[in-house]
Structure formats: structure tokens, C-alpha cells
Amino acid sequence: QVQLVQSGAEVKKPGASVKVSCKAPGDTFASYGITWVRQAPGQGLEWMGWIGASSGTTNYAQQVQGRVTITTDTTTNTAFMELRRLTSEDTAIYYCARVAQDSFDYWGQGTLLIVSS
Amino acid sequence: QSVLTQPPSASGTPGQRVTISCSGSNSNIGSNPVNWYQQLPGTAPRLLIYSDSQRPSGVPDRFSGSKSGTSGSLAIRGLQSEDEAVYYCAAWDDRLNGIWVFGGGTKLTVL
């Protein structure tokens, strides 16, 4: 069973930045991409972006383009999602997931982000 | 507003068969595989169906997927109480250099 382990809950003020981590098994980034999906309270799933295997190619959803950066650190087998210029609308649970066969086959446990003054 | 369209709710009694639809367009479902995810209350989503109709190991064969044109469908036969969850469809979309899109989710209630 592949486990993706995410960092803990965060509380941030409007205008601040947050960086969420997602630790994956050792071979993940060589062969698989990582995507980030968020879910606002009581709402559905919203795709944010992804980073491809090996090449590190990224693509982001229009809604967060310019505010989000997804990276990987192959030395620690960790993926990161940084979101800047936070507003209350960014309050959500953030999930990382492994990309395989054009689907998201394993998911992290989720990281709650609360943006509040 | 979600790119893929799902009914907001569905219901059935134990043992029944239910289906959930997912409508898209040529740029997503029409040219790429459909995936389905199950989200039980308070948990992360779980991959249920990939590549239109394939089940990952561990997913019961009561769950099946199909696709026709720009629409996908998830069927659950022999409905059980533990199937009560929200189900999401998703697909790669060829627009904007490629993005993934989700449906709005269908809340399945087992009566």
C-alpha cells in the first residue's frame, strides 16, 4: 500500500503564504507525477495543479495560476504546494495524490488550511 | 460551476442497482478516460474506477464504469449501507495545455 503523508493543519492570516508538504515512498517521483486537489468546507473537489514525473513539468488551474507553485525534493521524497496571497476563500482541505495511468491512485490524508484574521 | 456535470444526489435501497452519470464534452470525456472517486464522510477520496471501466485491486466488482461519447457512468449493484458516500467523476481536459476537471459530486444515500 502506497502512503502519502502530508504535513499538519495550518492557520494563516489573509495575505500570507502557506507551504504544504507531501512525503511519498522513495521511487515515486521518478515514475509518477503528483497532483494537488482542494476541497472547501461542504464543497466538491477542485484540481489545483500537478508536477510531472522526472521532468518536473508543471501545470496549474486557472483559478490559482500565479499564486501556486508545486515542487518536489527528490532527496527527501517530498512534494510541496505553496500558495501565496491567501484569502478566506482558500480555506479548505488540501490533498496530494499520486498520478498514475491518467488517474489519482493514492491520496494523502489531507491538510486543513484555515485563513482567518 | 463544474466542467463535468453530475446529478447532485442519488439513492437506493440495499441490494438495488444504482447508476450515476457524468456528462462532459469532446475536450475531456470525449477524448480521454473517465475516472471515478469515492469519498466517505470525513475521509480522503479513493480511486474507484480508472480508464473508464477498470477497477483498482481491492475495489469490489459490484462497482463498474462505462463510457459512451462524452458521458461516463458509474454503476453500483447490490447496494450496501457502506456505499453511502459522495462520488466524483474526473477526466483530463485537453484545453489550456491540459488540466484535470472534476464533476460536482453525487451524494449517494442508501435508504
Side-chain angles (χ1 to χ4, degrees):
Chain A
Q1 187 77 350
V2 174
Q3 279 202 315
L4 302 180
V5 181
Q6 298 184 224
S7 49
E10 303 263 12
V11 179
K12 296 290 184 181
K13 293 192 182 303
S17 299
V18 69
K19 193 169 186 177
V20 182
S21 68
C22 170
K23 188 164 177 62
D27 65 342
T28 298
F29 302 140
S31 305
Y32 301 95
I34 291 288
T35 193
W36 290 85
V37 174
R38 70 179 177 179
Q39 186 169 36
Q43 302 300 308
L45 302 176
E46 178 188 12
W47 180 74
M48 297 182 68
W50 80 303
I51 186 164
S54 297
S55 65
T57 302
T58 55
N59 200 21
Y60 303 116
Q62 271 195 316
Q63 306 93 293
V64 293
Q65 179 87 38
R67 292 200 300 131
V68 67
T69 302
I70 296 173
T71 55
T72 55
D73 181 344
T74 55
T75 62
T76 60
N77 303 314
T78 305
F80 299 94
M81 187 283 300
E82 182 180 27
L83 190 61
R84 300 175 292 277
R85 302 192 300 277
L86 294 170
T87 73
S88 59
E89 294 189 352
D90 295 315
T91 293
I93 297 174
Y94 289 75
Y95 295 102
C96 65
R98 191 179 82 166
V99 181
Q101 294 175 302
D102 296 323
S103 63
F104 308 154
D105 61 350
Y106 291 99
W107 294 64
Q109 83 276 18
T111 296
L112 174 63
L113 169 65
I114 295 174
V115 182
S116 173
S117 54
Chain B
Q1 189 146 353
S2 302
V3 174
L4 305 182
T5 301
Q6 299 179 237
S9 64
S11 63
T13 57
Q16 264 191 329
R17 181 180 186 272
V18 297
T19 60
I20 297 172
S21 62
C22 175
S23 177
S25 65
N26 288 331
S27 64
N28 42 66
I29 294 177
S31 50
N32 295 293
V34 179
N35 306 309
W36 291 89
Y37 301 91
Q38 177 194 57
Q39 188 174 32
L40 298 170
T43 69
R46 163 201 183 195
L47 179 64
L48 204 61
I49 298 287
Y50 68 96
S51 295
D52 300 335
S53 60
Q54 303 302 303
R55 282 187 311 276
S57 62
V59 173
D61 61 4
R62 302 186 295 106
F63 294 91
S64 62
S66 63
K67 186 174 84 172
S68 177
T70 59
S71 291
S73 184
L74 173 70
I76 310 171
R77 61 175 172 81
L79 198 62
Q80 299 180 4
S81 58
E82 56 261 40
D83 298 334
E84 188 160 293
V86 180
Y87 293 84
Y88 295 92
C89 60
W92 177 260
D93 193 304
D94 295 329
R95 297 172 299 147
L96 301 171
N97 296 318
I99 58 174
W100 267 283
V101 291
F102 281 98
T106 298
K107 172 73 169 92
L108 174 64
T109 300
V110 181
L111 302 170

